[in-house]
Amino acid sequence: MIELKNVTRRFGQTVAVDHIDLTVETGEVCVLVGSSGCGKSTTLRMINRLLPASSGEILVDGEDVTGMDLQRLRLNMGYAIQGTGLFPHWSVARNIALVPRLLKWPKERIDARVTELLQMLEMDPASFADKYPQQLSGGQAQRVGVARALAADPNILLMDEPFGALDAITRENLQLEMLRLQRQLKKTTVFVTHDIDEALRLATRIAVMDQGRIVQHDTPENILRRPASDFVENLVGKQDRGLKLMALRPVRDLMTPHDKPRPAEPGADGLKEDDSLRLALSVMLWQDLRQVAVFDHQGNETGVLLRERLIEGGV
Amino acid sequence: MRIWRTPVLWLAVLLALTLGMDGLEPLFRLIQPDTQSVIYQRETFLFLLGNHVLLVLISATIGTFAAVAGGIFATRPSGRDFLPLVSQIASIGQTFPPVAVLALAVPVLGFGEGPTLVALVLYGLLPVLRNTLAGLDGIDPAVTEAARGMGMSARQVLFQVEIPLAGRVILAGIRTSVTINIATAAIGSTIGARTLGDPVIAGLVNGNTAYVLQGALLIGLLALMTDSLFEALEKLWARRLAPTVSPA
């Protein structure tokens, strides 16, 4: 758990972060979102003390970070940033092994961990371990950056616009990857972004920041349904809130399940239980369908989603 | 091993000429037919070469350590305030010709190897300092930020990240510094240091072009050998510590 109590950061005369209070529960993803210069990065960097707080208290699992040994504090927090910050003179494997080496793990354990992480991020260890960062694509490099942050299995993950420099398609893939990993690993995560869609997709709770203050701290659904101010309302987009809300819910919520799963007919087309209602609506509109079959991970048809049901209960 | 071929070749030529200058007597006789002695005899070329190399080696070692340390200091958080001053000194120093540095050292320190050494150290500092600053400054800030954020200590960031990444640029600075100092050391002969400049000065004073040629040839070969040595070192550094492509 991370607690910020009345934390302020000044740069000379300007106040970058203005008396904020924020609690990030264990295992949740807290996304700090806001336009550039709103203090979200500064807030993140105060948690691992890359910047000291001017006043206020920051507690990690109840312990004040100011009193903690700096190396011990940071080694227990994975850190991933925009542009990766991978060491260009180290191979992918050595980059990932950075923190385990600092923690003096035995070599066999490090090697096993590197292989495990590369597989977890769907990169073939045999072909990637010995490459250098400049030989990777943007998306691959960012995966390695995430792997490096996860290497020593830290309790806390700090991510500062990690996908900010990627193209839209790669970014979406990495966001999905992130969701998958988070379901498995349940890290306490603080994630900074200026992209509200990224925030809505990844967050357990979102903290919207403006001019150094947190203007609303709530779940994605509540942020969309009950924006606390005009600023938040504009940030989430007034008009397409309906679609954004649908994007938060899986098809599973509204489908009409079959009594028992049926094996799919070959070539059958449909949605997966985890697909969003937004995607379902899009498919129905495009193909002009009144209902769509829904499949589980094994490919069995588990139910159907009806158009009326979706329109009535989607938002 | 192929990268060492050029420096070794130049070293062989340099040593052959140093030891076998007498063998070229007929050639020098052609240039200087009227003079009795056409090969410089006051000292052996080997002694002069050794002394010359020693002077450059000592001054380069001192100068490099001082300049790299200064450059590192000026880029640390505690020394950041000095960065503009240090980089200005480094730039201004470059505009002094080496001869002027020597000439200024004499009134203060007198004649001989001592003042030459001081002048060489001072003059050799500057290219190394400038390149150390440029090398450390040229590192992507995201890299050092990530290094610190992941929990590396300041010392680990310096020795495992910054030095390896800036190393090639720093090495290029040392290369410039040493090459210039090989030439500057020769001018040290005018203030009484025993270097390969001796035959050049003696030749100029006595109107003996053969002497001048012998000194100049050896100085040139020494500079070429050193330069190719550094080129090899830079390649080696790039291959070991900052590879840009995967080892095949």
Side-chain angles (χ1 to χ4, degrees):
Chain A
M1 187 164 77
I2 305 169
E3 295 158 279
L4 280 72
K5 293 182 178 167
N6 207 14
V7 172
T8 298
R9 169 73 200 188
R10 292 183 202 88
F11 292 104
Q13 290 296 310
T14 45
V15 181
V17 173
D18 193 2
H19 297 97
I20 61 166
D21 293 288
L22 180 70
T23 303
V24 183
E25 300 292 344
T26 305
E28 81 167 338
V29 179
C30 173
V31 177
L32 302 177
V33 68
S35 42
S36 45
C38 71
K40 53 193 192 303
S41 267
T42 309
T43 305
L44 183 89
R45 289 152 59 93
M46 282 192 288
I47 296 172
N48 67 0
R49 280 175 59 202
L50 277 172
L51 289 171
S54 303
S55 68
E57 260 188 319
I58 299 174
L59 307 177
V60 171
D61 295 329
E63 203 180 337
D64 192 338
V65 294
T66 328
M68 286 169 80
D69 174 66
L70 200 57
Q71 259 70 51
R72 192 170 68 88
L73 173 77
R74 289 176 183 166
L75 289 171
N76 194 26
M77 291 183 175
Y79 187 50
I81 57 176
Q82 182 169 8
T84 75
L86 293 176
F87 300 170
H89 58 306
W90 285 8
S91 68
V92 165
R94 191 154 177 219
N95 265 291
I96 295 174
L98 172 63
V99 178
R101 279 165 62 122
L102 292 174
L103 291 169
K104 303 205 166 55
W105 287 15
K107 192 179 173 306
E108 304 77 53
R109 189 174 163 204
I110 295 178
D111 291 347
R113 181 65 178 154
V114 169
T115 310
E116 183 189 348
L117 280 163
L118 282 171
Q119 280 163 348
M120 197 153 89
L121 285 154
E122 280 160 5
M123 296 174 84
D124 175 25
S127 54
F128 283 104
D130 293 328
K131 285 203 168 157
Y132 284 88
Q134 52 276 42
Q135 295 171 288
L136 304 175
S137 71
Q140 290 166 345
Q142 204 49 261
R143 272 163 210 262
V144 176
V146 172
R148 182 172 69 168
L150 290 170
D153 206 12
N155 295 324
I156 291 170
L157 266 185
L158 304 178
M159 309 185 92
D160 193 351
E161 303 210 29
F163 312 141
L166 303 174
D167 63 85
I169 296 168
T170 313
R171 192 184 321 157
E172 191 176 333
N173 283 334
L174 276 166
Q175 286 166 357
L176 294 174
E177 199 103 318
M178 192 53 216
L179 280 174
R180 185 176 63 80
L181 284 176
Q182 182 59 18
R183 268 198 293 272
Q184 257 176 283
L185 304 173
K186 298 241 175 288
K187 302 284 180 200
T188 308
T189 307
V190 182
F191 189 108
V192 164
T193 182
H194 60 261
D195 177 354
I196 186 68
D197 291 311
E198 185 165 83
L200 290 169
R201 175 174 275 164
L202 296 178
T204 319
R205 284 192 294 168
I206 295 175
V208 181
M209 291 190 72
D210 183 33
Q211 295 175 353
R213 290 164 201 247
I214 293 177
V215 293
Q216 188 170 12
H217 182 212
D218 216 328
T219 59
E221 182 167 351
N222 283 341
I223 297 255
L224 283 167
R225 285 192 197 278
R226 286 181 289 278
S229 66
D230 288 348
F231 177 81
V232 181
E233 198 168 350
N234 283 326
L235 186 75
V236 296
K238 263 185 192 164
Q239 303 296 338
D240 64 348
R241 258 193 273 172
L243 287 174
K244 280 182 172 147
L245 272 167
M246 289 180 106
L248 295 178
R249 298 176 70 187
V251 166
R252 190 185 291 113
D253 280 13
L254 284 185
M255 73 179 189
T256 315
H258 296 316
D259 297 332
K260 63 183 203 317
R262 313 167 185 165
E265 292 153 34
D269 210 10
L271 296 162
K272 290 197 213 53
E273 289 179 350
D274 288 335
D275 286 338
S276 70
L277 292 177
R278 179 184 173 141
L279 185 82
L281 180 66
S282 170
V283 168
M284 285 182 190
L285 290 174
W286 179 249
Q287 298 179 6
D288 195 19
L289 302 171
R290 307 211 60 81
Q291 63 178 60
V292 189
V294 181
F295 300 92
D296 65 8
H297 287 297
Q298 281 80 43
N300 296 317
E301 187 181 323
T302 50
V304 290
L305 181 65
L306 306 172
R307 182 140 107 184
E308 291 97 86
R309 189 84 204 282
L310 180 64
I311 304 289
E312 282 159 24
V315 175
Chain B
M1 275 303 94
R2 224 180 48 209
I3 54 173
W4 298 110
R5 209 160 53 188
T6 326
V8 167
L9 201 75
W10 285 122
L11 181 66
V13 178
L14 176 65
L15 286 178
L17 204 62
T18 307
L19 297 170
M21 195 67 88
D22 291 342
L24 294 178
E25 193 176 346
L27 215 66
F28 288 114
R29 183 85 42 209
L30 285 176
I31 301 167
Q32 205 72 27
D34 309 327
T35 321
Q36 203 181 15
S37 151
V38 291
I39 302 289
Y40 187 74
Q41 299 290 356
R42 215 170 301 160
E43 290 287 358
T44 64
F45 286 111
L46 192 62
F47 170 80
L48 292 176
L49 176 68
N51 219 23
H52 196 119
V53 168
L54 204 64
L55 268 175
V56 173
L57 218 58
I58 293 170
S59 64
T61 310
I62 299 171
T64 299
F65 273 105
V68 171
I72 289 170
F73 168 73
T75 49
R76 295 310 94 184
S78 53
R80 276 276 171 196
D81 294 345
F82 296 94
L83 184 57
L85 181 73
V86 172
S87 51
Q88 262 167 19
I89 293 175
S91 314
I92 293 169
Q94 288 290 291
T95 63
F96 274 92
V99 190
V101 179
L102 271 181
L104 286 171
V106 173
V108 187
L109 293 158
F111 288 88
E113 263 90 10
T116 309
L117 207 56
V118 171
L120 289 182
V121 168
L122 287 178
Y123 199 71
L125 274 174
L126 303 166
V128 184
L129 182 59
R130 197 190 45 189
N131 278 36
T132 305
L133 292 176
L136 291 174
D137 223 37
I139 297 170
D140 179 359
V143 170
T144 43
E145 152 128 9
R148 289 195 303 135
M150 306 288 300
M152 290 179 110
S153 66
R155 175 186 292 265
Q156 285 166 332
V157 176
L158 178 65
F159 287 106
Q160 295 186 31
V161 180
E162 291 182 281
I163 300 271
L165 288 176
R168 206 171 166 196
V169 181
I170 298 176
L171 209 55
I174 301 174
R175 178 179 177 179
T176 312
S177 160
V178 169
T179 315
I180 292 174
N181 273 359
I182 286 172
T184 315
I187 306 171
S189 285
T190 54
I191 60 165
R194 320 289 293 281
T195 73
L196 287 171
D198 283 10
V200 179
I201 304 294
L204 288 173
V205 171
N206 302 324
N208 190 330
T209 315
Y211 284 3
V212 177
L213 225 73
Q214 286 151 26
L217 257 165
L218 293 180
I219 294 166
L221 282 171
L222 180 61
L224 277 172
M225 192 272 287
T226 311
D227 195 64
S228 61
L229 184 70
F230 272 101
E231 193 176 315
L233 282 175
E234 279 175 43
K235 274 188 194 149
L236 199 68
W237 184 286
R239 198 183 292 171
R240 287 276 162 81
L241 287 168
T244 43
V245 287
S246 73

